[in-house]
Amino acid sequence: LAQASAQRVLACIFSTEASLNPPPAMKVVASFLVVALVVLSGTQEAEAKFEPCKTQSTFDVIMCTSHMCSDCKLAWCMQTCQKAQEEHSGCRCEDWPEARASFSGGAFEGKGKVGDVGDYSM
């Protein structure tokens, strides 16, 4: 039985008919790979895009490069940066991950803390 199966496999591999008409399982695998490549290539293009907003240069200074919105641990900084995000809605920093749409949507200093837990507790 095993020898007969091996002979059929070899016959399929070396016959021209088999190369023109692959087995159904091979068609399924090939189709899956094509779909996976299309999906992956589409997500890479979406991640590569960054479209600046109307007030991007101002937003970059306030939000993206300032100590206040990147390293400050005080509640005042967090609240001020959230207010700046509201004033510049639709803006985001170019180096933020695609999934992060706003200041509050990502990891920033002081996130998840109630108050400052003391302004001097850095």
Side-chain angles (χ1 to χ4, degrees):
L1 183 66
Q3 187 177 9
S5 296
Q7 287 175 344
R8 280 186 283 188
V9 169
L10 290 174
C12 284
I13 292 173
F14 292 110
S15 73
T16 56
E17 183 180 325
S19 63
L20 297 176
N21 192 10
M26 187 179 286
K27 290 179 183 178
V28 170
V29 170
S31 298
F32 177 74
L33 289 175
V34 168
V35 169
L37 287 173
V38 169
V39 168
L40 288 175
S41 67
T43 57
Q44 289 174 349
E45 289 175 11
E47 289 178 11
K49 291 181 183 176
F50 171 77
E51 296 182 23
C53 63
K54 292 178 183 177
T55 58
Q56 189 67 47
S57 59
T58 305
F59 182 79
D60 285 344
V61 171
I62 295 171
M63 187 70 64
C64 306
T65 60
S66 71
H67 169 77
M68 177 178 69
C69 295
S70 58
D71 296 323
C72 181
K73 298 177 185 180
L74 304 177
W76 177 86
C77 295
M78 183 174 49
Q79 293 164 353
T80 304
C81 294
Q82 288 171 340
K83 184 177 178 185
Q85 180 72 64
E86 288 175 6
E87 293 171 357
H88 300 274
S89 63
C91 291
R92 51 186 308 279
C93 296
E94 189 170 3
D95 62 345
W96 286 353
E98 187 67 25
R100 184 177 180 184
S102 69
F103 173 76
S104 299
F108 55 89
E109 290 294 329
K111 184 173 185 172
K113 295 181 179 178
V114 179
D116 294 326
V117 190
D119 284 349
Y120 302 104
S121 65
M122 295 185 192

